[in-house]
C-alpha cells in the first residue's frame, strides 16, 4: 500500500476529569517522543463552563512538534464551530486546501459529535494519525469517557499538514 493510500483517523477523546485527560495526553506524547507511534496532529482541549473550547496544550516538543501543533490547530479550526473557540487565532494558519480535510457533511457530523461528547466542564484529546497506530492510540486513551472516531482522506490530511507548515 502506498503512503498516500494509508487511511488517516481523527479521534476526539473526551474526559469528565481533566487529570485523566492530562494523564492520557502525557502517555501519547511520550509514545510519540519515543517514536513508538507517529501522529500528524495532537492537542489537548477543554470546554469551560461558558461552553468555549480552549486549547490547553499542543504537542510541540520535538523538531517536528511545531508542525504538529500547527496541524492540531488547523484541525481544531476545522472541526469546532468558530463561535465555540475561545481564541480566534487557533485556526488562523489554515491554508486554502485545508478545508478539504473533511466534507461539509462530515464537519457538521463531527461538530455535533463534539458538542455532544465534549460537554461543558470537560477535557478532550484531538489526534490525527495514520490508521496503523489506532491500536496503540486506543490503549493510550484508556481513561477516556468516550472516543469519537472519524476516517479522513489522506490527500486532504496532507494538504492540512502542508498548509500548517
Amino acid at each position: 500500500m502506498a503512503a498516500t493510500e494509508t487511511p488517516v483517523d481523527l479521534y476526539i477523546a473526551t474526559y469528565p476529569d481533566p487529570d485523566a485527560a492530562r494523564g492520557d495526553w502525557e502517555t501519547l506524547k511520550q509514545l510519540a517522543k519515543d517514536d513508538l507511534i507517529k501522529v500528524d496532529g495532537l492537542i489537548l482541549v477543554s470546554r469551560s463552563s461558558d461552553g468555549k473550547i480552549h486549547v490547553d496544550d499542543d504537542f510541540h516538543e520535538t523538531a517536528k512538534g511545531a508542525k504538529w501543533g500547527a496541524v492540531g490547530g488547523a484541525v481544531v479550526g476545522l472541526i469546532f464551530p468558530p463561535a465555540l473557540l475561545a481564541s480566534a487565532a487557533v485556526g488562523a494558519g489554515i491554508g486554502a486546501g485545508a478545508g478539504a480535510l473533511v466534507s461539509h457533511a462530515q464537519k457538521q457530523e463531527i461538530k455535533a459529535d463534539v458538542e455532544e461528547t465534549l460537554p461543558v466542564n470537560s477535557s478532550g484529546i484531538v489526534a490525527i494519525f495514520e490508521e496503523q497506530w489506532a491500536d496503540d492510540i486506543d490503549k493510550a486513551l484508556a481513561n477516556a469517557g468516550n472516543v469519537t472516531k472519524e476516517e479522513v482522506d489522506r490527500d486532504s490530511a496532507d494538504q492540512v499538514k502542508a498548509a500548517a507548515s
Side-chain angles (χ1 to χ4, degrees):
M1 186 180 280
T4 57
E5 296 170 15
T6 306
V8 176
D9 289 341
L10 168 68
Y11 277 19
I12 304 167
T14 56
Y15 301 79
D17 174 11
D19 292 333
R22 176 72 57 185
D24 285 359
W25 167 251
E26 294 298 334
T27 298
L28 279 172
K29 286 198 310 185
Q30 194 60 52
L31 288 170
K33 275 198 238 177
D34 294 344
D35 281 332
L36 298 174
I37 62 170
K38 301 238 185 288
V39 293
D40 295 327
L42 184 60
I43 52 172
L44 180 66
V45 297
S46 62
R47 190 165 183 193
S48 58
S49 59
D50 65 3
K52 296 285 186 189
I53 306 288
H54 300 267
V55 176
D56 296 336
D57 201 355
D58 60 42
F59 185 38
H60 58 270
E61 304 194 4
T62 68
K64 288 187 255 180
K67 184 170 80 170
W68 287 340
V71 171
V75 170
V76 166
L78 288 170
I79 65 174
F80 293 113
L84 283 182
L85 293 174
S87 169
V90 168
I94 300 172
L101 177 66
V102 290
S103 70
H104 179 72
Q106 255 188 311
K107 273 194 236 182
Q108 293 307 109
E109 190 177 302
I110 293 169
K111 286 176 187 176
D113 286 344
V114 167
E115 290 171 349
E116 188 178 302
T117 61
L118 190 61
V120 168
N121 293 323
S122 67
S123 295
I125 295 171
V126 179
I128 187 168
F129 55 90
E130 289 184 0
E131 200 167 86
Q132 71 193 47
W133 308 112
D135 288 344
D136 296 307
I137 290 177
D138 282 333
K139 286 178 196 148
L141 298 174
N143 297 306
N146 186 38
V147 181
T148 301
K149 302 174 182 182
E150 301 281 344
E151 187 172 309
V152 296
D153 175 75
R154 161 51 77 188
D155 292 335
S156 296
D158 287 343
Q159 288 175 353
V160 170
K161 286 196 287 189
S165 58

